[in-house]
Amino acid sequence: DAKTTQPNSMESNEEEPVHLPCNHSTISGTDYIHWYRQLPSQGPEYVIHGLTSNVNNRMASLAIAEDRKSSTLILHRATLRDAAVYYCILRYLNRDDKIIFGKGTRLHILP
Amino acid sequence: DTGVSQNPRHKITKRGQNVTFRCDPISEHNRLYWYRQTLGQGPEFLTYFQNEAQLEKSRLLSDRFSAERPKGSFSTLEIQRTEQGDSAMYLCASSFGTGDTEQFFGPGTRLTVL
Protein backbone atom coordinates (compact mmCIF):
# COMPACT_ATOMS: atom_id res chain seq x y z
CA ASP A 1 0.00 0.00 0.00
CA ALA A 2 1.17 3.51 -0.77
CA LYS A 3 2.21 5.37 2.37
CA THR A 4 1.93 8.92 3.60
CA THR A 5 4.37 11.08 5.52
CA GLN A 6 3.20 13.78 7.89
CA PRO A 7 4.93 15.95 10.49
CA ASN A 8 4.53 14.60 14.00
CA SER A 9 3.15 17.84 15.38
CA MET A 10 2.29 21.40 14.46
CA GLU A 11 1.21 24.52 16.29
CA SER A 12 -1.03 27.32 15.17
CA ASN A 13 -2.63 30.35 16.70
CA GLU A 14 -6.35 30.51 17.21
CA GLU A 15 -8.32 32.19 14.43
CA GLU A 16 -5.47 31.83 11.94
CA PRO A 17 -5.36 29.50 8.93
CA VAL A 18 -3.59 26.16 9.32
CA HIS A 19 -1.91 24.23 6.54
CA LEU A 20 -1.29 20.57 7.32
CA PRO A 21 1.04 18.92 4.79
CA CYS A 22 1.11 15.33 3.63
CA ASN A 23 3.56 13.64 1.28
CA HIS A 24 2.52 10.57 -0.71
CA SER A 25 5.15 10.17 -3.40
CA THR A 26 4.18 6.56 -4.25
CA ILE A 27 0.50 7.33 -4.80
CA SER A 28 -1.16 5.44 -7.63
CA GLY A 29 -3.64 6.80 -10.12
CA THR A 30 -6.64 5.28 -8.34
CA ASP A 31 -5.70 6.25 -4.79
CA TYR A 32 -8.00 8.77 -3.19
CA ILE A 33 -6.55 11.12 -0.59
CA HIS A 34 -8.59 11.13 2.60
CA TRP A 35 -8.24 13.09 5.80
CA TYR A 36 -9.64 12.06 9.14
CA ARG A 37 -9.12 13.72 12.49
CA GLN A 38 -9.34 12.45 16.03
CA LEU A 39 -10.33 14.81 18.79
CA PRO A 40 -9.20 13.97 22.33
CA SER A 41 -11.02 10.97 23.81
CA GLN A 42 -13.06 10.42 20.64
CA GLY A 43 -13.00 8.13 17.65
CA PRO A 44 -11.71 9.46 14.32
CA GLU A 45 -14.03 11.49 12.14
CA TYR A 46 -14.00 12.08 8.41
CA VAL A 47 -12.85 15.50 7.27
CA ILE A 48 -12.52 15.53 3.49
CA HIS A 49 -11.27 13.55 0.51
CA GLY A 50 -10.29 14.10 -3.10
CA LEU A 51 -8.68 12.52 -6.15
CA THR A 52 -7.13 15.22 -8.34
CA SER A 53 -8.96 18.51 -7.97
CA ASN A 54 -8.98 20.73 -4.92
CA VAL A 55 -11.98 20.16 -2.68
CA ASN A 56 -13.87 22.33 -0.24
CA ASN A 57 -16.42 21.48 2.40
CA ARG A 58 -17.74 23.09 5.55
CA MET A 59 -14.88 21.74 7.64
CA ALA A 60 -11.82 22.31 5.49
CA SER A 61 -10.22 22.56 2.07
CA LEU A 62 -7.96 20.01 0.42
CA ALA A 63 -5.30 21.24 -1.96
CA ILE A 64 -3.76 18.49 -4.12
CA ALA A 65 -0.50 19.02 -5.97
CA GLU A 66 -0.62 18.69 -9.72
CA ASP A 67 1.57 15.55 -9.63
CA ARG A 68 -0.52 14.24 -6.71
CA LYS A 69 2.59 13.44 -4.70
CA SER A 70 1.58 15.77 -1.92
CA SER A 71 -1.49 17.44 -0.51
CA THR A 72 -2.39 20.02 2.10
CA LEU A 73 -5.35 20.16 4.42
CA ILE A 74 -6.35 23.73 5.07
CA LEU A 75 -8.33 24.85 8.09
CA HIS A 76 -9.28 28.40 7.21
CA ARG A 77 -9.74 29.74 10.71
CA ALA A 78 -8.57 27.42 13.46
CA THR A 79 -10.41 27.29 16.75
CA LEU A 80 -9.48 25.55 19.98
CA ARG A 81 -11.90 22.80 19.01
CA ASP A 82 -9.72 21.95 16.02
CA ALA A 83 -6.94 20.66 18.29
CA ALA A 84 -6.69 17.02 17.25
CA VAL A 85 -4.60 14.42 15.49
CA TYR A 86 -5.04 14.70 11.72
CA TYR A 87 -4.51 11.62 9.59
CA CYS A 88 -3.73 11.72 5.88
CA ILE A 89 -4.73 8.41 4.30
CA LEU A 90 -4.65 6.89 0.82
CA ARG A 91 -7.57 4.66 -0.10
CA TYR A 92 -7.73 2.54 -3.23
CA LEU A 93 -11.07 3.04 -4.90
CA ASN A 94 -12.39 -0.39 -5.61
CA ARG A 95 -10.81 -2.51 -2.91
CA ASP A 96 -11.57 -3.34 0.70
CA ASP A 97 -12.24 -0.08 2.43
CA LYS A 98 -10.47 -0.77 5.68
CA ILE A 99 -8.49 2.32 6.62
CA ILE A 100 -4.74 2.10 7.13
CA PHE A 101 -3.86 4.89 9.55
CA GLY A 102 -0.39 6.30 10.13
CA LYS A 103 0.58 8.28 13.20
CA GLY A 104 -0.84 11.53 11.90
CA THR A 105 -0.04 15.12 12.86
CA ARG A 106 -0.96 16.36 16.31
CA LEU A 107 -2.22 19.91 15.88
CA HIS A 108 -1.96 22.24 18.87
CA ILE A 109 -3.97 25.46 18.81
CA LEU A 110 -2.63 28.32 20.88
CA PRO A 111 -5.20 30.75 22.33
CA ASP B 1 -28.15 10.24 18.91
CA THR B 2 -27.98 8.04 15.83
CA GLY B 3 -24.20 7.60 15.70
CA VAL B 4 -22.13 4.50 16.40
CA SER B 5 -22.30 3.45 20.03
CA GLN B 6 -19.95 1.23 21.98
CA ASN B 7 -20.32 -0.40 25.36
CA PRO B 8 -18.80 -0.37 27.80
CA ARG B 9 -16.76 2.81 27.46
CA HIS B 10 -14.19 1.59 29.95
CA LYS B 11 -13.24 -1.89 31.11
CA ILE B 12 -10.67 -2.85 33.70
CA THR B 13 -9.91 -6.52 34.02
CA LYS B 14 -7.30 -8.82 35.46
CA ARG B 15 -4.92 -10.74 33.27
CA GLY B 16 -6.39 -14.04 32.19
CA GLN B 17 -10.02 -12.93 32.29
CA ASN B 18 -12.31 -12.83 29.27
CA VAL B 19 -13.92 -9.59 28.12
CA THR B 20 -16.58 -8.77 25.57
CA PHE B 21 -17.30 -5.45 23.92
CA ARG B 22 -20.37 -4.45 21.97
CA CYS B 23 -20.74 -2.12 19.00
CA ASP B 24 -24.04 -0.81 17.64
CA PRO B 25 -23.51 0.68 14.18
CA ILE B 26 -25.54 3.34 12.46
CA SER B 27 -28.82 1.82 11.37
CA GLU B 28 -28.74 0.31 7.86
CA HIS B 29 -24.95 0.48 7.61
CA ASN B 30 -23.96 -2.85 6.15
CA ARG B 31 -20.25 -2.68 6.93
CA LEU B 32 -18.81 -2.78 10.42
CA TYR B 33 -15.15 -2.51 11.35
CA TRP B 34 -13.07 -3.07 14.46
CA TYR B 35 -9.81 -1.24 15.09
CA ARG B 36 -7.39 -1.14 18.00
CA GLN B 37 -5.47 1.93 19.07
CA THR B 38 -2.58 2.12 21.52
CA LEU B 39 -1.20 5.30 23.02
CA GLY B 40 0.46 7.58 20.49
CA GLN B 41 -0.41 5.41 17.51
CA GLY B 42 -3.07 5.60 14.86
CA PRO B 43 -5.85 3.01 14.89
CA GLU B 44 -4.93 -0.45 13.53
CA PHE B 45 -7.41 -2.50 11.55
CA LEU B 46 -8.56 -5.75 13.18
CA THR B 47 -11.50 -7.11 11.21
CA TYR B 48 -14.59 -6.15 9.28
CA PHE B 49 -18.03 -7.47 8.41
CA GLN B 50 -20.34 -6.96 5.51
CA ASN B 51 -23.75 -7.72 6.94
CA GLU B 52 -23.18 -10.87 9.02
CA ALA B 53 -20.20 -12.16 7.02
CA GLN B 54 -16.72 -11.58 8.42
CA LEU B 55 -14.75 -10.73 5.29
CA GLU B 56 -11.26 -10.03 6.57
CA LYS B 57 -9.21 -10.53 9.70
CA SER B 58 -5.89 -8.85 10.39
CA ARG B 59 -2.88 -10.82 11.54
CA LEU B 60 -3.21 -8.74 14.70
CA LEU B 61 -6.33 -10.74 15.52
CA SER B 62 -4.84 -13.68 17.40
CA ASP B 63 -6.83 -16.81 18.20
CA ARG B 64 -7.75 -15.27 21.54
CA PHE B 65 -9.84 -12.68 19.70
CA SER B 66 -13.20 -13.42 18.15
CA ALA B 67 -15.73 -11.10 16.58
CA GLU B 68 -19.31 -11.76 15.59
CA ARG B 69 -22.14 -9.93 13.93
CA PRO B 70 -24.89 -12.53 14.14
CA LYS B 71 -27.81 -10.67 12.60
CA GLY B 72 -25.93 -8.13 10.56
CA SER B 73 -26.67 -5.39 13.07
CA PHE B 74 -24.66 -5.09 16.30
CA SER B 75 -21.28 -6.75 16.73
CA THR B 76 -19.33 -8.16 19.64
CA LEU B 77 -15.58 -8.46 20.08
CA GLU B 78 -14.42 -10.99 22.65
CA ILE B 79 -10.92 -11.32 24.02
CA GLN B 80 -10.16 -14.53 25.88
CA ARG B 81 -7.39 -14.93 28.45
CA THR B 82 -6.51 -11.25 28.35
CA GLU B 83 -2.89 -10.16 28.48
CA GLN B 84 -1.41 -6.82 29.51
CA GLY B 85 -0.52 -6.19 25.88
CA ASP B 86 -4.22 -6.17 25.05
CA SER B 87 -4.62 -2.88 26.89
CA ALA B 88 -5.76 -0.41 24.25
CA MET B 89 -8.70 1.54 22.90
CA TYR B 90 -10.98 -0.65 20.79
CA LEU B 91 -12.79 1.34 18.13
CA CYS B 92 -15.77 0.34 16.06
CA ALA B 93 -16.80 2.01 12.81
CA SER B 94 -19.56 1.50 10.30
CA SER B 95 -20.23 2.48 6.72
CA PHE B 96 -22.86 2.00 4.04
CA GLY B 97 -22.04 0.53 0.68
CA THR B 98 -18.76 -0.72 -0.64
CA GLY B 99 -15.52 0.82 -1.75
CA ASP B 100 -14.56 4.36 -1.08
CA THR B 101 -17.09 5.45 1.53
CA GLU B 102 -16.79 7.40 4.74
CA GLN B 103 -16.50 5.44 7.97
CA PHE B 104 -18.27 6.63 11.09
CA PHE B 105 -16.46 5.82 14.31
CA GLY B 106 -17.78 5.21 17.77
CA PRO B 107 -16.18 6.63 20.91
CA GLY B 108 -14.31 3.43 21.64
CA THR B 109 -13.94 1.06 24.58
CA ARG B 110 -10.81 1.57 26.64
CA LEU B 111 -9.50 -1.72 27.99
CA THR B 112 -7.01 -1.87 30.84
CA VAL B 113 -5.58 -5.26 31.73
CA LEU B 114 -3.93 -5.37 35.16
Side-chain angles (χ1 to χ4, degrees):
Chain A
D1 288 334
K3 295 184 178 179
T4 63
T5 303
Q6 299 177 253
N8 289 333
S9 66
M10 291 183 63
E11 278 187 356
S12 180
N13 294 319
E14 194 177 10
E15 299 186 1
E16 291 186 357
V18 181
H19 292 236
L20 295 161
C22 181
N23 289 320
H24 28 79
S25 59
T26 59
I27 191 170
S28 72
T30 48
D31 282 334
Y32 276 63
I33 302 159
H34 286 244
W35 286 80
Y36 279 69
R37 73 178 185 179
Q38 188 170 19
L39 302 173
S41 301
Q42 295 188 26
E45 63 176 350
Y46 168 82
V47 177
I48 200 167
H49 78 282
L51 182 61
T52 55
S53 303
N54 295 344
V55 183
N56 299 295
N57 66 21
R58 63 176 180 81
M59 290 182 70
S61 295
L62 176 60
I64 301 173
E66 192 170 342
D67 64 5
R68 300 207 330 122
K69 293 185 177 182
S70 66
S71 60
T72 302
L73 180 70
I74 303 166
L75 307 178
H76 294 285
R77 191 166 172 269
T79 69
L80 295 177
R81 293 182 68 248
D82 292 318
V85 178
Y86 287 78
Y87 298 99
C88 172
I89 297 154
L90 301 182
R91 300 188 68 193
Y92 182 63
L93 177 58
N94 291 320
R95 208 169 62 184
D96 296 337
D97 56 350
K98 63 186 178 185
I99 297 176
I100 307 298
F101 289 89
K103 292 187 176 182
T105 295
R106 182 171 296 278
L107 176 64
H108 301 273
I109 304 296
L110 305 176
Chain B
D1 190 340
T2 57
V4 178
S5 62
Q6 293 187 246
N7 288 288
R9 294 291 308 276
H10 303 273
K11 178 71 177 178
I12 300 174
T13 191
K14 293 182 179 179
R15 188 175 53 188
Q17 298 295 305
N18 299 343
V19 294
T20 300
F21 310 140
R22 176 175 170 130
C23 171
D24 287 89
I26 293 172
S27 178
E28 298 181 354
H29 276 190
N30 63 348
R31 285 206 168 193
L32 187 147
Y33 310 80
W34 285 99
Y35 295 82
R36 180 174 70 184
Q37 185 173 27
T38 53
L39 197 62
Q41 304 295 317
E44 297 172 293
F45 169 76
L46 292 178
T47 188
Y48 83 93
F49 295 83
Q50 180 161 307
N51 300 314
E52 64 275 9
Q54 188 173 17
L55 296 187
E56 184 177 351
K57 294 192 291 186
S58 162
R59 286 172 295 180
L60 293 174
L61 213 65
S62 76
D63 57 5
R64 296 185 298 105
F65 288 69
S66 62
E68 294 182 343
R69 195 182 183 198
K71 297 183 179 179
S73 57
F74 73 92
S75 175
T76 58
L77 178 68
E78 181 183 15
I79 309 174
Q80 296 182 327
R81 305 181 303 280
T82 53
E83 302 172 356
Q84 288 185 326
D86 297 330
S87 295
M89 176 74 81
Y90 290 84
L91 294 161
C92 175
S94 68
S95 68
F96 182 75
T98 59
D100 183 30
T101 56
E102 175 184 350
Q103 291 185 17
F104 295 82
F105 283 79
T109 294
R110 180 167 295 285
L111 173 66
T112 302
V113 182
L114 302 177

